[in-house]
Amino acid sequence: MIDSMLSGSLNRALGSRLVNALTAPHGVDRFLEPFNPMWSVDKIRARIESITRPTADSVSLRMRPNRHWKGFLAGQYVRVQVEIGGVRRSRCYSLSDAQAAHDGLIEITVKAQDEGLVSAYLNRNARVGMVIGLSQAEGEFVLPQAVSAPLMLIAGGSGITPIMAMLRTLARGGHAGVLSLLYYVRNAADTIFADELIELFGAQPEWKLRVIRTRESGGSRFGRAHLDGLVQDLAAAEIYVCGPAALIDAVSALCAELGCESRLRLERFTATSTSAPADPDTISGELRFVRSERYAANDGRSLLDQAEAAGLRPESGCRMGICHSCTCRKTSGVVRDLRSGRLSSSGEEDIQICVSAAVGDVTLDI
Amino acid sequence: MARSKSLSTPRNPSSKLPGKAAASVSSNPMIAALSASQIEAFGRELDALRERVLADLGERDAAYIRRIVKLQRSLEIAGRGLLQFGFLPPAWLGGVAALATSKILDNMEIGHNVMHGQYDWMQDPALNSKNFDWDTACPGDQWRHSHNVMHHTYTNVLGVDRDVGYGLLRMDEKQPWRPQYLANPLMAFGLAALFQYGVALHDVEFDRVIAGKRSWRDAKPVLQGVWKKVRRQWLKDYALFPLLAGPFAGFTLAGNASANLIRNFWSFTIIFCGHFPADVQTFDKSELANETRGHWYLRQLLGSANIEGGKLFHVMSGNLSFQIEHHLFPDLPGHRYAEIASEVREICGRYGLPYNTGSLARQFGSVLRRIAELALPPRSAMLPVAA
Ligand SMILES: Cc1cc2nc3c(=O)[nH]c(=O)nc-3n(C[C@H](O)[C@H](O)[C@H](O)COP(=O)(O)OP(=O)(O)OC[C@H]3O[C@@H](n4cnc5c(N)ncnc54)[C@H](O)[C@@H]3O)c2cc1C
Ligand code: FES
């Protein structure tokens, strides 16, 4: 209620130069946030309104975004920020409901990964009323503006989420064209959206559904034969695939063979390179300084020393880990703290480059 | 108070990282009394303590700092609100109290500590050392250089750490006496009243510019940065909020000025108690040559002093009342210092090292005495030679 009150003129007033000057140097958001994060003048926040469990190890969160949310196209994802143990983490999740949901809510569906930090946290700790941070919707994995060709959708496991958004959007829009879904799951209990899929496909005469249970008898991984009866001519269809890397790679290979790669759209949930993590006891890997577009072979010294050797001038001060002048964003890779020997996580985070050495490939935003 | 004399080039800072330990003979008797291996062991014990706290950081620390931020923002809103009705004496007094408290919390427990990177691990842009700016005249980015780099790396090293006297006061016997230092007490009072500007102009290094050791060209952009920040602070405290109060603008302006003044005196008091009570040591540049991590810890310990007090006092001093713990571990969250203080003290005791602590009255009394004594020329005929 207050959130909708804050729209329009009040929002403009809060964003005005006067208010900015009155709240300097912090800015008005820093005065709103501690009381209600949803009131932010420019950040997207969403409040969890309801929670359902499509399977035992997945959770669908329906959320009401604040007024900064600009909407999305079915198939797109958001970067979700949650705080776990005091540390802010960011992960991508595809939006799983139709583009224009009747209640104005948006939905993500998160499958708990083994030893997965954020996915396990959301499965265990998400509560109605919880407020999380969001980015605007991103991604190119979307339907063509006008769907004319047959659609061939292929999903594996949690990769069903963006495809579910497409199906729900098409069904709501009365799309009656030719459409098939090939959906890989481990077993019956693992089938996210099982009931709703049966219902949706049952109501559409031109829609065909095939679910393959890879871990049950008769199940197998993607093969060309699985498309039989679903699509007449793959090369003439719009193809969408989302799921484990192996599934995406297999479908891509088939499309390459048939020469229809240009009609293939794919969404990867994990990075392609499955290169083994570097051995912390050897010096290896490459340093990538993305903003300045420089590369260097890792020689084991501190990242600050190596950045300087590569001709960069990152900010620095004490060079011994106490002043935090040299803090910069690591976008990927593992680093070792030269003081304690502790290894970092592999995700995106701020690090002090004067006391960090690379363990394998490391990408820095400098 | 024995001090080292010779001068040499600054040390290579990366020598402080483990694996490059090379002991140097110190002219400081406390340090010289320990063997190289003892110093190394001392450093290792402190490193282990630091690692233990780091591994334990989590929700509790995040909740703590957010609670303090919320309290500060509430006090600021309340203080500024009340001062709009400054013509009513209770509103004026309450407003000044709330706003002064807000500014003290903002500058000390929040600003100082956040800008040290104490909460960088939370990965929250609102509590990130690089983004944060505080409600004082000093621009955050300049502070990170003069304070985090110069003061914390070169703590109490004469001629390098500009916190020793702020280029204005004579705070150490080895600063050669000049007639202008007769005004030491007066200057100290002036610095305390205008402390935020003293801190802001820290990085301009006026004294060195006047002495011809620094060019105007170098100082000018720094000064421009300060001016930009000061203008914004004045606009808010001395123009916009008073104007909003309409005919009662004068009351609001006076209230805001009073809150700034209270904050200035308070932060001066706490900060001067951190490094200038009796028995706190200063060092010569020679101390920096080949300094190992253990050595660096020793210098931080010997160059700092704590103030005893209750919980509220520690929060209001930004936990800088645990100056020793802060200097040993500048990027551990301040509210953790109280929890590790007894262990630090115990470690120091085992190595026969002093742990300088006392009540506010004792420590500040000692600082005032020093300011007064050093105003006068040294009694000994042997004047130290200027560096
Ligand atoms: C564009 C995009 C959209 C996404 N949409 C969704 C979505 O709708 N629903 C959803 O559940 N996830 C989705 N993901 C994956 C999600 O972003 C996280 O990677 C995932 O939840 C694991 O995060 P975590 O913090 O739990 O695991 P981490 O703690 O980061 O990793 C723990 C371990 O799990 C492994 N791991 C991580 N992700 C996967 C995976 N997908 N399959 C197998 N092993 C994995 C890691 O290699 C690691 O060993 C999407 C990813 C991208 C890039
Ligand atoms: S340069 Fe000071 S922490 Fe890295």
Side-chain angles (χ1 to χ4, degrees):
Chain A
M1 301 114 272
I2 296 192
D3 186 57
S4 51
M5 252 173 58
L6 272 176
S7 55
S9 52
L10 187 50
N11 195 35
R12 240 169 289 132
L14 283 176
S16 71
R17 284 177 59 185
L18 174 65
V19 172
N20 200 33
L22 290 173
T23 52
H26 300 303
V28 65
D29 247 13
R30 298 285 174 264
F31 284 86
L32 300 173
E33 244 170 17
F35 302 98
N36 186 342
M38 295 286 282
W39 293 348
S40 172
V41 284
D42 54 7
K43 303 273 176 317
I44 311 170
R45 303 272 157 69
R47 181 184 186 274
I48 298 178
E49 299 287 340
S50 75
I51 298 176
T52 50
R53 296 197 166 272
T55 63
D57 64 353
S58 67
V59 66
S60 286
L61 310 175
R62 293 188 71 76
M63 308 179 280
R64 183 173 302 286
N66 65 4
R67 62 198 180 284
H68 304 302
W69 175 249
K70 293 199 182 120
F72 71 104
L73 295 175
Q76 287 189 307
Y77 63 89
V78 283
R79 277 173 289 127
V80 170
Q81 287 139 23
V82 287
E83 201 169 293
I84 306 173
V87 183
R88 182 176 296 204
R89 310 280 177 173
S90 178
R91 296 286 187 278
C92 300
Y93 290 103
S94 304
L95 293 153
S96 50
D97 199 3
Q99 254 161 245
H102 51 87
D103 52 4
L105 301 188
I106 56 174
E107 179 190 89
I108 59 171
T109 301
V110 179
K111 180 174 160 65
Q113 303 293 339
D114 293 340
E115 293 179 40
L117 183 66
V118 176
S119 59
Y121 176 85
L122 287 175
N123 268 269
R124 232 178 300 126
N125 300 67
R127 297 279 176 277
V128 169
M130 205 166 117
V131 173
I132 62 178
L134 295 183
S135 68
Q136 293 291 1
E138 298 169 2
E140 312 283 301
F141 190 68
V142 293
L143 292 169
Q145 270 187 337
V147 186
S148 49
L151 293 172
M152 181 65 233
L153 313 174
I154 306 171
S158 58
I160 190 66
T161 49
I163 286 172
M164 195 64 195
M166 295 175 179
L167 293 171
R168 284 166 162 172
T169 302
L170 290 170
R172 198 153 303 159
H175 174 82
V178 179
L179 177 159
S180 301
L181 170 64
L182 176 57
Y183 181 19
Y184 291 87
V185 294
R186 269 183 279 184
N187 51 48
D190 211 30
T191 315
I192 301 176
F193 302 129
D195 297 342
E196 192 181 339
L197 284 171
I198 289 168
E199 202 176 305
L200 268 179
F201 279 81
Q204 305 279 350
E206 296 291 328
W207 290 19
K208 289 185 205 141
L209 170 67
R210 176 173 297 157
V211 178
I212 303 217
R213 298 174 184 158
T214 54
R215 304 257 170 108
E216 288 180 7
S217 64
S220 64
R221 297 181 144 226
F222 175 78
R224 202 167 168 168
H226 289 167
L227 295 171
D228 290 347
L230 285 181
V231 61
Q232 275 181 339
D233 178 11
L234 190 64
E238 301 283 354
I239 313 154
Y240 289 80
V241 59
C242 178
L247 173 64
I248 292 182
D249 293 344
V251 174
S252 303
L254 178 63
C255 288
E257 198 185 312
L258 299 176
C260 59
E261 290 147 297
S262 61
R263 288 176 164 262
L264 170 69
R265 288 186 190 75
L266 48 87
E267 183 84 308
R268 291 182 187 276
F269 282 3
T270 51
T272 26
S273 76
T274 44
S275 62
D279 175 359
D281 296 327
T282 61
I283 292 166
S284 65
E286 184 184 50
L287 308 182
R288 291 179 281 245
F289 305 107
V290 278
R291 208 168 336 138
S292 42
E293 297 182 357
R294 301 275 178 97
Y295 299 86
N298 177 26
D299 66 10
R301 284 182 298 158
S302 78
L303 292 170
L304 177 60
D305 286 344
Q306 296 198 61
E308 288 173 345
L312 309 183
R313 287 278 157 270
E315 201 182 319
S316 70
C318 68
R319 309 182 73 96
M320 57 179 287
I322 59 165
C323 75
H324 289 246
S325 306
C326 65
T327 298
C328 74
R329 196 99 185 138
K330 162 175 78 73
T331 47
S332 71
V334 175
V335 296
R336 184 196 307 107
D337 187 316
L338 289 169
R339 295 165 296 184
S340 62
R342 191 154 10 98
L343 297 179
S344 75
S345 77
S346 60
E348 190 170 332
E349 61 190 345
D350 286 337
I351 58 166
Q352 291 165 274
I353 55 174
C354 70
V355 287
S356 300
V359 177
D361 294 345
V362 166
T363 309
L364 293 178
D365 186 26
I366 48 175
Chain B
M1 242 188 295
R3 280 152 190 179
S4 51
K5 286 256 156 65
S6 61
L7 286 167
S8 84
T9 49
R11 47 84 182 118
N12 167 16
S14 61
S15 64
K16 290 194 183 104
L17 296 176
K20 294 191 188 166
S24 65
V25 181
S26 174
S27 46
N28 181 299
M30 303 274 192
I31 301 181
L34 294 173
S35 71
S37 62
Q38 278 176 311
I39 295 176
E40 214 190 301
F42 175 71
R44 267 202 312 270
E45 290 202 41
L46 292 177
D47 274 342
L49 179 55
R50 178 174 186 278
E51 282 308 311
R52 227 176 50 219
V53 177
L54 274 182
D56 187 49
L57 294 182
E59 221 145 339
R60 176 160 74 96
D61 306 86
Y64 173 81
I65 192 65
R66 295 239 166 81
R67 206 164 59 234
I68 297 289
V69 167
K70 189 169 177 178
L71 174 66
Q72 182 267 319
R73 303 287 138 93
S74 310
L75 282 168
E76 178 159 0
I77 293 168
R80 300 220 182 256
L82 283 170
L83 284 173
Q84 290 295 304
F85 305 93
F87 57 93
L88 302 167
W92 193 86
L93 288 173
V96 170
L99 190 57
T101 312
S102 151
K103 283 183 181 253
I104 287 170
L105 285 175
D106 175 278
N107 292 180
M108 302 181 85
E109 183 66 339
I110 303 168
H112 169 269
N113 289 348
V114 166
M115 287 196 287
H116 259 295
Q118 294 184 356
Y119 298 94
D120 278 6
W121 55 273
M122 289 172 62
Q123 308 280 339
D124 178 351
L127 294 169
N128 181 280
S129 61
K130 289 243 156 162
N131 303 342
F132 201 89
D133 202 357
W134 50 359
D135 185 8
T136 94
C138 179
D141 53 343
Q142 291 190 17
W143 162 264
R144 281 186 281 274
H145 176 254
S146 67
H147 181 80
N148 292 8
V149 181
M150 299 312 282
H151 171 59
H152 273 272
T153 316
Y154 306 106
T155 311
N156 282 22
V157 175
L158 295 172
V160 186
D161 176 5
R162 299 185 46 77
D163 277 25
V164 182
Y166 284 69
L168 279 175
L169 306 179
R170 183 164 180 253
M171 292 306 296
D172 194 87
E173 287 147 25
K174 278 180 294 165
Q175 284 172 279
W177 184 84
R178 292 198 212 99
Q180 74 201 51
Y181 288 132
L182 285 171
N184 227 23
L186 206 68
M187 290 296 269
F189 184 81
L191 178 62
L194 298 172
F195 195 54
Q196 62 167 330
Y197 302 103
V199 172
L201 294 175
H202 215 267
D203 243 15
V204 183
E205 309 187 4
F206 269 124
D207 53 319
R208 294 187 57 223
V209 175
I210 292 165
K213 290 186 192 158
R214 185 172 198 211
S215 76
W216 258 117
R217 265 232 326 258
D218 289 344
K220 212 173 137 197
V222 184
L223 199 57
Q224 278 166 337
V226 173
W227 175 231
K228 200 171 142 209
K229 178 77 191 281
V230 167
R231 230 170 33 208
R232 283 212 302 171
Q233 292 292 106
W234 284 354
L235 179 69
K236 169 181 70 161
D237 280 348
Y238 301 133
L240 295 179
F241 276 110
L243 284 175
L244 280 180
F248 311 112
F251 292 98
T252 311
L253 190 143
N256 290 349
S258 305
N260 279 326
L261 195 68
I262 293 170
R263 183 271 324 272
N264 287 353
F265 275 114
W266 178 251
S267 45
F268 171 90
T269 305
I270 297 301
I271 284 155
F272 270 60
C273 282
H275 296 294
F276 306 121
D279 300 330
V280 170
Q281 323 249 316
T282 55
F283 306 90
D284 274 346
K285 285 182 193 158
S286 61
E287 205 65 45
L288 298 171
N290 295 321
E291 193 177 53
T292 62
R293 188 151 175 92
H295 258 109
W296 180 82
Y297 274 134
L298 275 174
R299 185 158 52 78
Q300 301 305 322
L301 168 70
L302 298 175
S304 309
N306 284 7
I307 318 169
E308 287 159 5
K311 213 174 157 130
L312 181 65
F313 170 73
H314 291 309
V315 173
M316 290 303 287
S317 63
N319 280 298
L320 293 178
S321 40
F322 292 102
Q323 191 74 221
I324 293 175
E325 286 72 20
H326 174 56
H327 264 268
L328 295 173
F329 311 116
D331 61 359
L332 291 185
H335 76 115
R336 292 279 187 151
Y337 296 152
E339 298 169 15
I340 57 172
S342 62
E343 199 168 332
V344 169
R345 195 168 183 168
E346 182 268 328
I347 295 172
C348 295
R350 267 193 285 115
Y351 289 84
L353 293 164
Y355 183 92
N356 192 331
T357 181
S359 67
L360 181 62
R362 195 194 108 161
Q363 302 292 57
F364 197 55
S366 174
V367 171
L368 294 180
R369 219 169 308 124
R370 185 190 276 217
I371 291 172
E373 279 170 11
L374 292 177
L376 301 172
R379 257 161 252 157
S380 105
M382 286 171 53
L383 284 176
V385 187

